[in-house]
Amino acid sequence: MTKHKEAKKAGRAGRVKTPEALFLGELANQQSSKYRLAQGFGVLFAVSLVLQAWALANVFSDMALHQTFSLSLLVMGLFALLLRALANFARERVCTSASRDIRYGLRRKLVSHLTKLGPARLRIEEDAALSTRVYEQVDALDDFFSRYKPQVFMVTLIPCVILMSVISVSWIAFFIFMMTAPLVIVFMIFVGHKAAQANRRQFSVLAMLSNQFMDLSQGLAELKRLNRTDEARERLSTSASAYQKTTMNVLYLAFLSTATLELFASLSIAMIALYLGLGLLEILPWQVGSSPVTLTQAMFLLLLAPEFYLPLRQLGNDYHAKQKAEAAATDLLEIVNTPVSMSAQHQAADSVDTDSTASNRTRFISFQNLSWSEAGRHRLSPITAEIAQGERVWLSGESGVGKSSLLHLLLGFEENYQGAFFVNGTPFNAMKLDEWRKSLAWLPQTPEWVNGSIRRNLLLGIESPSEDVIQAALAKSQCDDFIQGLPSGLDTKITELGAGLSGGQMQRLSITRALLSNADVWLLDEPCSGLDEETAQAVLTTLDQASEGKTLLIVSHDTHPIAWADKHWSLSTGGLHQ
Amino acid sequence: MSRSSINKKAKLTLKGLLLANPWGFVIPVILGVIASLTGVGLLGLSGWFISATGLATAIGTGLTFNYLTPGAIVRGLAIFRTAGRYGEQVTAHNHLLGLLRILRLWVWDQRVAKDAANLHEQSRGDLLQRLVSDLDQIIRWPLVVFLPWLYALLSYAAVAILAYIILPNLLWPLAIAAVCHVIVIPYVCGRFASHSVHVAQTLGVHRRSRFISVFSALITLTIRGHWKDYAARLNQLDDRQRRMEIITQNAVSTGRLLGYIVTIGLLFSCFYLVSNYSDVTQSWTLADGVHGTWFVGFILSLLAVNELVLPLVQSFVAQGQSQVGLRRLNQLSQNVTPQESVDQVITPQKANQTQTTVHTMEFKQFRGFHSPSNMGNQAIDLAIKTNDTIWIRGESGSGKSTLLAAIAGDCLSEGEAVINGEEQSIYDNSDYQSALSYLPQSPYIFQQSVGANLRLGNPNATDEQMLAVLKAVALDSWINDLPNGLATLLSSQGRNLSGGQRKRLALARLLLRQSPVLLLDEPFDGLDKATIEVICQSLQNDYKPKILVLVSHIESRLGDDSRIIELF
């Protein structure tokens, strides 16, 4: 039996493990001590199981034959049952705590990884979808770590313990168990393989159904305008019915694997009961006139029979946990496998160039043969250029040529660049990133807002200035008019504005924020791309007035030319043209 | 749907969920009960059978013992248990999928009955996502909570019959244990943990929106050096969630332990009730009239019942989660105003059949606005009649789009609207809206084929009509380049289309409707001159509406012979 299992295991290990399985295995290894403890409780559970069966079998046979029973044996049996319950309790607590440690640890890791990725995280997914991964998908691993994983051990342990205790009692019963156990396993593999496929299909079918529902719901306003809600309802209804039919076909098969186990469990109880009954009547065809077992032994076997298959059945029930976990692991791996290019950060502290003359020079940024490639793909072709302090540079170029990547470099989120890049004559990777970042203002395509009032967003991360300063900044970015029109002015919640605040107004507020932060270097990533032309021009004009005296690098398409820029850089795969 | 008790206006309740499709539910219940009872019976009968045969041999009646009948029953029970369990799972899941369909349609109906302004708020991706997972949670309720409870109850009832036959006194401990197992322990654990289950669910939502809010400002927070504080708060939320989880899980484990202890107590008291201590033999003897063989069967049945009872403890977690989900879903229906024209929405109403025509539209002191910011346009007077083309212009922020949305009945408005000489409330008035086609600033493209998207405008449109209308919006070369043509599937929210293409496709869909009034919000944004020219040409000839209202900041041929409304 054990050998059989080991052979199976070896065979399984020989197969190529999927990255998902490896990932889950690694996570489980973090908590290996807890899992070992759980296994210890599992052994206690199995032993008390046998003890309980033995004690109760004695009590039962005495009752049947002599109408009496021994109190001490009864107490021992019930005590073993209690021990079983306690072992189970402890095992559960250990396993759930292991699962919690794994999940909450993983979640922290994911959040900090996403933080380090910075703007690159959006290459994986948008924020809302990322939050689903970080929360829901991580929690989807729970059943796997708290139930499936420890159950795999019990599946091997309990049958082995039962077989060992049965062998001394009855060879026939031993053979009944031995015969059915591999059959169960073979059937499990045979049906289980099919069921796994079926399960996966059901998974994707359900996902499709949800997707359709989401799609139609998101466009509901449009459907209402088109007066087509009834058709859409019809569609939802018919496709749900159709999916129900196909899914059921899949499920008929999927449940066969559970049913097989159930059948073996039931039949072996029945077989053992019949065999033992006939044996006790001394009318077994090959053994007429003598009984192979005593009543006590018979009872012992009967009590153990259901327990033999129980762990396997539970594993069958928890099989979907594995499915769910692997599906989730696929999504999580995508986040984990997105590399963070922060290798240079450690050296930064050591090699700080304390060249005091450098800080006295006029602030300027210079790139020398700066390029950046990732996974063999050029994100930015080598460029050499300089920006003087107070200079305002317009950067244009086709999409995908690396304009945003250059900004991300300046923001300090991508440090695996090639070539050199100086700020104030200091190499960028030797600078104190925190101080450099404090001198930046960032105005992306969609303004960055947290939930809260306008005031809170404007003052995000800076010392609260006087009301006059705020009003001056508002006036300079031409926000004062519409802010005054709001019912609660600056204290209006950003989220409540919803559709009421136009894209142009949002960008203007970003300008206010940049002004209030007193940042010297402004980085702008297509601030006008979501706006119509007229609004865009107005915002650019405001920007011109507000950013006077600041060093500014603005990425903008040729459709929104920056007439007031001091320099125009045009970036292409060939390099930079001034 | 006619059979279902979940009707469109009713609130969702767990009871309603059970009765949603009662006949579909009966079969899994019966099968599950059969499987559970035969499972208990199998073990009990086997125990009796073995002890009876042992006894028979011992007292010398072994050769006359009728072993065929019990043997057959034991085999029968084994088969029934398997078949019953399999049938239960299959039929229960079938029922569950049916329930999913009914509930989705219910949510759909609730949302259809919503007015436009509230609808927007709910259409955000993550909210809908939550809705979908709530639904998945709720439909599991009968399977995870109700059925196991019913099985446990009925098994206890079956064992009680056996107990009565053996010794009526046994009913007392049995009843007490049953109450403990089926009601007290799940209830107490539920009370103990329900708070943390609810808090955890709410925290989950809170945590998620916090994550989105904080990450959407990641760079700004990082460069201001404030990221750490925000990330720490995110972690705090996570820790609170973790504490809630610990409470819940401990309650489950403890509940299960209590269940075992109750079983042990039950077994002990049963043994105590049926036996007497005799000083003579210095051992416990069964009372007169109690057959040891029967009693063995009874004890074995109790052990089988114990297995059925244990999952009940866990069900309160599912119960709590379902209730939270249910409450959230019911919030959908609460906001529907009572005088809402629900009936209009429900009665099938084909736009082409009952299309009302609009001849004149007159707006007095009319103003569209968004709630609650109250931002919108300055109130205006405007009269439109057939064959008019109106061009609304104005600075950004002057409320052009809001005014157009208000005219389309898509946005809250104040002032008078007189349609065909009759004053009407046009907001969310589907009768009125069926007469007009409104192109919003960012129209929605469905994840269907190009053809299916177009047919939303006119279900009877032929391929020729669709190709013609695509040509009218200068998408003919685009559709011809697609290998699958009209059958090409568009990705989620039309992401594989450019903004201009999306808008033109939506415009083509509207043109197929051929409604008398056409309201266009910035149709030319991001288009080149030649394309604008093609669209103007179409709107002035083949697809000329009776009334055209245009919001645009781009000069076009349409503007030349139109009345200009300037907003400030």
Side-chain angles (χ1 to χ4, degrees):
Chain A
M1 178 68 198
T2 324
K3 260 184 198 160
H4 184 85
K5 278 253 156 119
E6 272 168 4
K8 276 258 135 42
K9 232 171 232 170
R12 218 170 288 162
R15 252 181 272 157
V16 187
K17 275 198 169 179
T18 58
E20 284 85 12
L22 280 174
F23 175 67
L24 293 175
E26 262 170 45
L27 287 175
N29 281 340
Q30 293 171 359
Q31 296 292 327
S32 53
S33 59
K34 277 196 179 158
Y35 279 124
R36 266 200 295 279
L37 187 61
Q39 287 176 355
F41 284 119
V43 172
L44 182 65
F45 181 86
V47 170
S48 51
L49 184 78
V50 174
L51 184 68
Q52 176 208 339
W54 178 77
L56 285 184
N58 275 305
V59 170
F60 287 169
S61 69
D62 282 353
M63 275 198 309
L65 295 177
H66 316 300
Q67 293 278 58
T68 63
F69 60 90
S70 134
L71 186 64
S72 55
L73 279 175
L74 175 67
V75 169
M76 190 200 273
L78 292 183
F79 174 72
L81 186 61
L82 182 66
L83 204 61
R84 226 176 109 180
L86 285 172
N88 206 32
F89 175 73
R91 204 172 73 90
E92 248 176 44
R93 299 212 35 181
V94 170
C95 291
T96 49
S97 120
S99 161
R100 270 197 308 270
D101 286 348
I102 291 174
R103 281 179 294 121
Y104 283 83
L106 176 66
R107 186 169 295 145
R108 261 173 203 231
K109 216 176 97 189
L110 285 176
V111 170
S112 78
H113 188 79
L114 285 172
T115 312
K116 284 186 201 138
L117 279 176
R121 76 185 186 283
L122 296 174
R123 284 211 293 273
I124 308 172
E125 267 283 13
E126 46 165 348
D127 283 334
L130 282 178
S131 77
T132 310
R133 294 193 191 189
V134 168
Y135 295 111
E136 273 86 350
Q137 299 280 53
V138 168
D139 278 336
L141 302 178
D142 184 28
D143 285 346
F144 178 81
F145 286 121
S146 63
R147 292 223 303 269
Y148 185 85
K149 178 94 178 84
Q151 192 62 29
V152 171
F153 174 73
M154 297 301 275
V155 164
T156 345
L157 175 77
I158 290 187
C160 285
V161 170
I162 290 182
L163 276 176
M164 265 165 18
S165 48
V166 160
I167 198 165
S168 60
V169 174
S170 161
W171 278 97
I172 303 277
F174 176 75
F175 277 119
I176 292 179
F177 282 141
M178 268 305 268
M179 293 292 282
T180 51
L183 266 180
V184 168
I185 291 167
V186 168
F187 254 85
M188 274 289 274
I189 290 168
F190 182 70
V191 184
H193 186 63
K194 282 264 180 239
Q197 278 181 344
N199 240 331
R200 267 195 289 276
R201 261 178 38 211
Q202 190 213 351
F203 223 73
S204 64
V205 161
L206 271 177
M208 260 163 75
L209 199 65
S210 302
N211 207 14
Q212 184 199 35
F213 181 71
M214 283 279 289
D215 183 45
L216 289 175
S217 291
Q218 270 179 323
L220 184 55
E222 193 82 17
L223 287 171
K224 276 185 89 172
R225 283 194 282 270
L226 293 168
N227 214 346
R228 286 278 170 274
T229 45
D230 293 319
E231 279 81 350
R233 187 179 196 279
E234 196 57 43
R235 223 183 95 139
L236 274 180
S237 166
T238 50
S239 63
S241 307
Y243 282 137
Q244 185 176 0
K245 273 203 196 89
T246 52
T247 310
M248 280 322 293
N249 287 336
V250 168
L251 287 182
Y252 289 134
L253 195 67
F255 288 134
L256 258 189
S257 64
T258 0
T260 320
L261 272 173
E262 196 76 34
L263 182 70
F264 275 105
S266 309
L267 276 187
S268 70
I269 297 175
M271 267 165 76
I272 284 181
L274 280 186
Y275 157 74
L276 294 173
L278 295 185
L280 289 171
L281 286 174
E282 303 176 351
I283 50 171
L284 282 175
W286 61 91
Q287 239 181 342
V288 181
S290 72
S291 170
V293 287
T294 64
L295 182 58
T296 313
Q297 289 170 334
M299 275 295 168
F300 180 59
L301 293 175
L302 183 72
L303 279 169
L304 286 180
E307 305 290 349
F308 188 79
Y309 300 95
L310 194 62
L312 258 178
R313 278 162 60 202
Q314 275 167 358
L315 190 73
N317 287 341
D318 290 340
Y319 191 76
H320 73 275
K322 191 177 172 226
Q323 208 84 55
K324 210 165 70 173
E326 281 184 354
T330 313
D331 283 350
L332 297 177
L333 267 176
E334 202 187 340
I335 297 181
V336 176
N337 287 343
T338 308
V340 182
S341 44
M342 285 292 225
S343 56
Q345 206 178 28
H346 311 291
Q347 304 152 14
D350 316 327
S351 59
V352 177
D353 188 0
T354 46
D355 187 357
S356 56
T357 54
S359 53
N360 293 335
R361 279 187 223 155
T362 39
R363 177 190 285 269
F364 69 97
I365 302 163
S366 81
F367 310 118
Q368 279 170 18
N369 259 327
L370 180 74
S371 71
W372 180 46
S373 60
E374 190 185 61
R377 198 168 84 86
H378 267 289
R379 291 212 174 269
L380 177 68
S381 307
I383 55 166
T384 301
E386 287 185 355
I387 306 174
Q389 181 153 37
E391 199 168 31
R392 301 191 295 182
V393 179
W394 168 29
L395 181 63
S396 72
E398 284 172 27
S399 54
V401 85
K403 303 185 298 289
S404 299
S405 303
L406 185 61
L407 290 185
H408 296 167
L409 281 178
L410 281 166
L411 283 167
F413 279 105
E414 308 287 355
E415 302 203 3
N416 255 353
Y417 52 84
Q418 291 86 44
F421 161 26
F422 301 94
V423 176
N424 275 341
T426 317
F428 186 74
N429 53 17
M431 298 225 326
K432 286 200 172 138
L433 196 58
D434 289 352
E435 279 170 29
W436 161 246
R437 278 178 170 167
K438 277 197 180 125
S439 68
L440 298 177
W442 169 243
L443 286 87
Q445 195 174 328
T446 22
E448 299 196 317
W449 300 109
V450 296
N451 286 340
S453 65
I454 296 182
R455 183 190 301 275
R456 178 159 164 236
N457 269 287
L458 289 180
L459 304 182
L460 207 61
I462 53 172
E463 294 291 313
S464 195
S466 71
E467 197 61 31
D468 293 344
V469 177
I470 297 178
Q471 287 306 331
L474 282 173
K476 207 166 176 189
S477 51
Q478 293 168 6
C479 289
D480 42 353
D481 287 346
F482 78 86
I483 292 284
Q484 272 161 19
L486 292 173
S488 29
L490 272 179
D491 296 308
T492 312
K493 287 251 192 313
I494 284 275
T495 40
E496 282 174 9
L497 290 168
L501 208 58
S502 75
Q505 288 162 337
M506 292 289 247
Q507 282 299 2
R508 278 176 207 277
L509 280 175
S510 296
I511 299 173
T512 318
R513 175 154 75 184
L515 280 172
L516 284 172
S517 71
N518 287 324
D520 302 326
V521 184
W522 289 22
L523 302 172
L524 299 94
D525 193 1
E526 306 198 19
C528 298
S529 69
L531 309 176
D532 63 67
E533 222 151 298
E534 192 187 358
T535 316
Q537 279 315 321
V539 168
L540 286 179
T541 313
T542 311
L543 201 55
D544 175 26
Q545 291 154 8
S547 70
E548 205 120 11
K550 308 283 184 190
T551 310
L552 176 141
L553 182 60
I554 179 169
V555 169
S556 181
H557 272 292
D558 293 330
T559 45
H560 295 303
I562 315 294
W564 40 262
D566 302 318
K567 268 189 199 166
H568 174 203
W569 293 354
S570 151
L571 192 64
S572 70
T573 44
L576 191 73
H577 308 280
Q578 301 217 0
Chain B
M1 270 307 277
S2 54
R3 293 178 293 163
S4 103
S5 67
I6 297 185
N7 67 35
K8 294 177 185 187
K9 283 182 218 170
K11 264 187 127 179
L12 276 184
T13 56
L14 290 176
K15 192 175 140 217
L17 214 60
L18 274 188
L19 301 175
N21 182 4
W23 295 114
F25 196 49
V26 163
I27 300 169
V29 168
I30 290 177
L31 287 171
V33 168
I34 289 176
S36 309
L37 292 186
T38 48
V40 173
L42 178 64
L43 208 58
L45 191 66
S46 305
W48 171 82
F49 179 58
I50 290 181
S51 31
T53 52
L55 182 65
T57 311
I59 58 173
T61 56
L63 291 175
T64 54
F65 186 83
N66 174 11
Y67 57 85
L68 288 175
T69 320
I73 296 177
V74 165
R75 277 187 307 241
L77 286 179
I79 297 205
F80 264 113
R81 187 173 98 149
T82 312
R85 193 58 75 200
Y86 177 67
E88 182 225 359
Q89 283 192 316
V90 169
T91 49
H93 277 83
N94 192 14
H95 173 71
L96 191 137
L97 285 170
L99 211 57
L100 183 65
R101 176 176 150 264
I102 294 174
L103 275 183
R104 286 217 165 130
L105 291 179
W106 181 86
V107 169
W108 180 258
D109 289 331
Q110 300 303 326
R111 283 175 47 81
V112 167
K114 275 256 131 104
D115 57 324
N118 282 318
L119 195 59
H120 279 303
E121 209 175 300
Q122 281 174 7
S123 297
R124 266 174 45 218
D126 53 322
L127 278 182
L128 275 178
Q129 191 79 53
R130 214 183 64 203
L131 209 69
V132 169
S133 59
D134 275 348
L135 281 184
D136 292 345
Q137 186 72 50
I138 290 170
I139 54 162
R140 283 174 56 241
W141 184 81
L143 220 67
V144 183
V145 181
F146 181 73
L147 285 182
W149 190 80
L150 188 71
Y151 298 156
L153 197 67
L154 288 178
S155 315
Y156 258 117
V159 176
I161 296 172
L162 186 60
Y164 182 76
I165 294 172
I166 295 172
L167 189 73
N169 264 351
L170 287 176
L171 285 178
W172 285 109
L174 201 65
I176 293 171
V179 169
C180 282
H181 270 148
V182 181
I183 298 165
V184 176
I185 294 180
Y187 180 77
V188 168
C189 290
R191 275 301 289 269
F192 191 64
S194 73
H195 174 69
S196 59
V197 171
H198 287 186
V199 171
Q201 291 260 312
T202 335
L203 265 180
V205 177
H206 184 49
R207 203 169 54 155
R208 194 190 151 98
S209 65
R210 184 63 152 273
F211 177 93
I212 297 174
S213 156
V214 165
F215 263 85
S216 66
L218 170 67
I219 299 179
T220 307
L221 288 172
T222 311
I223 62 180
R224 291 282 191 280
H226 267 237
W227 171 257
K228 278 202 185 99
D229 304 344
Y230 278 84
R233 259 183 266 172
L234 214 54
N235 283 337
Q236 274 169 15
L237 278 181
D238 221 36
D239 286 340
R240 273 182 68 196
Q241 175 92 349
R242 183 182 179 141
R243 282 200 293 280
M244 295 300 141
E245 213 180 299
I246 291 175
I247 294 177
T248 315
Q249 283 171 342
N250 282 352
V252 173
S253 301
T254 314
R256 211 169 286 162
L257 185 65
L258 285 176
Y260 264 114
I261 289 172
V262 168
T263 304
I264 291 169
L266 172 65
L267 289 175
F268 199 82
S269 45
C270 284
F271 271 100
Y272 180 77
L273 280 177
V274 296
S275 59
N276 306 307
Y277 186 74
S278 79
D279 292 326
V280 187
T281 52
Q282 297 224 330
S283 68
W284 290 81
T285 318
L286 292 185
D288 292 336
V290 176
H291 294 283
T293 49
W294 285 84
F295 189 63
V296 168
F298 172 69
I299 296 293
L300 277 169
S301 321
L302 282 185
L303 286 176
V305 171
N306 183 47
E307 297 293 323
L308 284 175
V309 165
L310 289 180
L312 285 186
V313 185
Q314 217 165 1
S315 65
F316 71 81
V317 179
Q319 168 94 21
Q321 285 168 344
S322 303
Q323 271 168 347
V324 173
L326 214 56
R327 208 174 306 155
R328 279 205 291 242
L329 282 182
N330 275 327
Q331 278 168 2
L332 273 183
S333 64
Q334 272 168 12
N335 303 338
V336 181
T337 42
Q339 73 271 30
E340 195 69 47
S341 51
V342 179
D343 297 298
Q344 283 179 7
V345 181
I346 289 164
T347 46
Q349 193 178 52
K350 299 277 177 290
N352 297 340
Q353 290 165 6
T354 55
Q355 201 170 63
T356 44
T357 315
V358 172
H359 308 289
T360 60
M361 307 162 91
E362 204 174 332
F363 301 98
K364 291 174 194 156
Q365 284 300 304
F366 190 75
R367 167 170 189 277
F369 63 94
H370 293 281
S371 165
S373 66
N374 200 27
M375 290 180 75
N377 63 301
Q378 301 292 328
I380 58 155
D381 291 321
L382 177 63
I384 310 173
K385 59 181 191 306
T386 305
N387 291 331
D388 268 2
T389 300
I390 311 283
W391 181 12
I392 300 174
R393 291 199 308 194
E395 300 248 312
S396 100
S398 60
K400 303 180 293 246
S401 296
T402 317
L403 174 63
L404 194 71
I407 292 179
D410 226 32
C411 177
L412 297 169
S413 54
E414 48 192 29
E416 255 176 61
V418 183
I419 309 297
N420 291 339
E422 244 175 89
E423 187 177 345
Q424 288 190 10
S425 139
I426 59 174
Y427 175 62
D428 211 40
N429 177 343
S430 60
D431 252 351
Y432 162 73
Q433 282 176 312
S434 70
L436 50 86
S437 290
Y438 163 55
L439 180 74
Q441 224 161 15
S442 42
Y444 193 84
I445 299 295
F446 292 90
Q447 211 174 334
Q448 300 173 13
S449 68
V450 178
N453 262 297
L454 287 176
R455 271 192 293 272
L456 284 173
N458 177 4
N460 305 318
T462 62
D463 281 8
E464 287 73 35
Q465 282 174 315
M466 289 194 274
L467 289 173
V469 80
L470 285 176
K471 191 165 189 235
V473 295
L475 281 174
D476 45 342
S477 61
W478 171 75
I479 194 80
N480 289 334
D481 285 346
L482 290 175
N484 292 329
L486 288 171
T488 309
L489 271 179
L490 297 173
S491 73
S492 162
Q493 294 176 35
R495 248 181 239 151
N496 49 0
L497 298 175
S498 77
Q501 282 172 332
R502 229 177 4 241
K503 213 151 187 183
R504 278 183 283 161
L505 190 59
L507 177 61
R509 183 163 70 190
L510 289 182
L511 293 181
L512 278 175
R513 284 186 83 196
Q514 299 190 313
S515 40
V517 181
L518 195 56
L519 309 172
L520 304 179
D521 195 351
E522 300 283 3
F524 306 131
D525 219 20
L527 301 183
D528 56 61
K529 284 223 167 61
T531 313
I532 295 176
E533 186 59 27
V534 173
I535 295 174
C536 290
Q537 178 76 24
S538 311
L539 287 176
Q540 285 181 329
N541 297 298
D542 294 350
Y543 295 93
K544 186 169 169 34
K546 289 200 175 116
I547 294 172
L548 174 66
V549 182
L550 179 73
V551 166
S552 177
H553 63 271
I554 293 174
E555 299 271 341
S556 67
R557 208 142 63 84
L558 276 179
D560 292 348
D561 40 35
S562 66
R563 196 139 54 91
I564 296 174
I565 307 288
E566 198 82 43
L567 288 186
F568 299 99

